Amino acid sequence: MHLRAPAGTEDVLPERVAAWRRVETAAREVLGRCGYREIRTPVFEYTGLFARSIGDATDIVEKEMYTIPRSSAAAGAAPDAASDDEDTLTLRPELTASVVRAYLEHGMHKSRPFQKFFYLGPLFRRERPQKGRLRQFHQVGIEAIGSRDPLMDVETIDVFVRLLGAVGVIGSTVNLNSTGCRECRGVYRGKLSAHLRVHEGALCENCRRRLDRNVFRVLDCKVKTCQPAIAGAPPITESLCPACAAHFGAVQEGLKAAGVPFVLNPRLVRGLDYYTKTVYEVTSPYLGAQSAVGGGGRYDNLVEELGGPPTGAVGFAIGLERLLIAREAVDETARKGASAPPALAPAEAVSDLYVVAVEEAQRGAAFRLLASLRSATLRADMDYDARSLKGQMRSASRAGARVVLVLGPAEVAAGTVQLKDMAKGEQRGVPAEAAAEEAKRVLGLS
Ligand code: AMP
């Protein structure tokens, strides 16, 4: 049997984890600085949560959700978990619904209605895998729940841009639009349908179906033959009610005042039904066909639709895989530029210290020394494979160790150890019990 990871999933091997961590650390730092607190929700939820929030007629709910059939959900369930039978379980395809569910379930709408959350974690969508489009992918995102202030929309966009800056993704474009409220959308739905009906013959099969089910989705279509009809469609901004138009105006003013560049994109609709008023998507020239690094918007009806009080909310989600692709493409471009410095950081050392046993007989003592170094908070390791001195020294250098401690029969007998400073090429004997302190001195840690 040929074993491999499922289509649309990726292993992040140890060499790549450092890049992931850098992005995650930068994101946590920026979001913490801006007042967002981390929330962690389960990777699966009752299916109804997503069907109700994302919308029945969206691609995600129609065909991309990983739903565990009821029979198998029940088979593994404990007897007292009978409530699982009420609904199937679905691997989360996005996180906004989960965050709102948690907000309501824990009564935050009563105790402290204004909350700013961030999250970071895996999501699952049964999509056709390609570069930048996976079946398990990761997002970092924020949700600011409890405010209708246009400045809140501005803050989320500003935070998005800050985050891109912090991870070194330059040259992105903020595309901005407003999808209005229920009333504006009702008016617009009529105008858009009327326009698209005229061009129905030119639309792809999917879009013809969307005409009846969810006409806004047509604006999202990438099929070539649909583009003339989409380009000629009336912009939704012409159908905004006075309140939505004022909100949209205030967001644009706020962005200008904050010095956040944006472009208006009247065709921008996001793939989920819950958005109201502001929507945005950030695209990067460093990504291929899947050019959106992330997107977001306001969702003023969702808290109420999930059983809470009317509550304004706005948030975004950024794809971490795409953020990393963009980051690496920026580095690559900089490397090609004549004046650009080498952008890749040197390979990270795995260990600062390495313990080497000259003979098999000293391996036990070597392990005891290693354990004591680790207890002294040093990043230390030894070789569990190579037996020759040369082989162990090669492993030490591969690990990036700056200090090697060598134990031979004479050292074990005398209670000492040879401390080798790899940078200087110097070696001297030190008492075994002082090895940690001596090593710290050489490493500049004391
Ligand atoms: P969405 O929730 O669809 O607006 O997605 C927000 C961001 O998540 C996108 O801009 C991508 O960066 C990322 N994303 C969405 N779907 C996928 C996927 N299937 N594979 C990789 N990244 C994705």
Side-chain angles (χ1 to χ4, degrees), residues 153-222:
D153 311 34
V154 174
E155 176 178 294
T156 66
I157 297 171
D158 179 64
V159 169
F160 195 132
V161 172
R162 268 175 206 284
L163 212 150
L164 293 183
V167 300
V169 172
I170 51 170
S172 302
T173 304
V174 176
N175 295 270
L176 185 73
N177 196 20
S178 172
T179 57
C181 60
R182 281 195 197 103
E183 284 69 40
C184 321
R185 267 211 299 276
V187 175
Y188 183 58
R189 188 174 291 114
K191 285 191 195 168
L192 184 61
S193 297
H195 166 80
L196 292 173
R197 291 270 175 222
V198 176
H199 301 275
E200 193 169 343
L203 296 180
C204 70
E205 199 188 316
N206 256 340
C207 282
R208 282 205 294 276
R209 211 167 42 89
R210 288 171 179 144
L211 280 182
D212 297 318
R213 291 197 30 94
N214 190 345
V215 70
F216 299 122
R217 283 287 80 71
V218 175
L219 297 176
D220 249 351
C221 184
K222 301 284 179 284

Side-chain angles (χ1 to χ4, degrees), residues 34-105:
C34 297
Y36 292 81
R37 296 186 306 150
E38 184 169 0
I39 183 164
R40 301 184 186 196
T41 60
V43 290
F44 56 81
E45 299 269 359
Y46 290 125
T47 307
L49 174 69
F50 302 121
R52 275 169 67 185
S53 56
I54 298 171
D56 281 342
T58 56
D59 282 354
I60 293 180
V61 173
E62 274 185 346
K63 52 183 196 228
E64 292 172 0
M65 296 207 301
Y66 283 103
T67 294
I68 304 163
R70 194 175 302 218
S71 53
S72 50
D80 64 349
S83 59
D84 275 3
D85 285 346
E86 289 166 14
D87 197 353
T88 54
L89 300 170
T90 292
L91 297 181
R92 62 188 187 194
E94 61 109 46
L95 258 146
T96 303
S98 302
V99 172
V100 172
R101 196 259 315 131
Y103 172 84
L104 291 171
E105 184 170 339

Side-chain angles (χ1 to χ4, degrees), residues 125 127 132-134 137 139 270 292-295 317-319 322:
R125 293 184 194 170
E127 302 203 69
R133 193 168 280 292
L134 297 160
F137 60 100
Q139 284 184 343
R270 307 250 314 122
V293 65
I318 298 177
R322 291 195 200 167

Side-chain angles (χ1 to χ4, degrees), residues 109-177:
H109 55 299
K110 295 184 197 134
S111 58
R112 207 177 122 198
F114 179 61
Q115 299 267 353
K116 299 205 298 187
F117 303 105
F118 82 85
Y119 58 76
L120 214 155
L123 297 104
F124 310 86
R125 293 184 194 170
R126 195 191 300 273
E127 302 203 69
R128 197 167 53 79
Q130 52 185 292
K131 188 175 161 100
R133 193 168 280 292
L134 297 160
R135 291 182 165 178
Q136 175 178 327
F137 60 100
H138 298 76
Q139 284 184 343
V140 56
I142 64 173
E143 311 293 349
I145 305 180
S147 166
R148 292 178 191 275
D149 188 342
L151 261 190
M152 191 70 247
D153 311 34
V154 174
E155 176 178 294
T156 66
I157 297 171
D158 179 64
V159 169
F160 195 132
V161 172
R162 268 175 206 284
L163 212 150
L164 293 183
V167 300
V169 172
I170 51 170
S172 302
T173 304
V174 176
N175 295 270
L176 185 73
N177 196 20

Side-chain angles (χ1 to χ4, degrees), residues 329-370:
V330 169
D331 279 357
E332 187 61 35
T333 310
R335 247 197 320 280
K336 281 183 191 151
S339 60
L344 268 192
E348 243 173 73
V350 178
S351 305
D352 294 325
L353 277 171
Y354 223 76
V355 181
V356 164
V358 177
E359 298 165 352
E360 190 70 28
Q362 289 95 50
R363 284 175 58 78
F367 185 80
R368 277 195 300 283
L369 176 63
L370 173 64

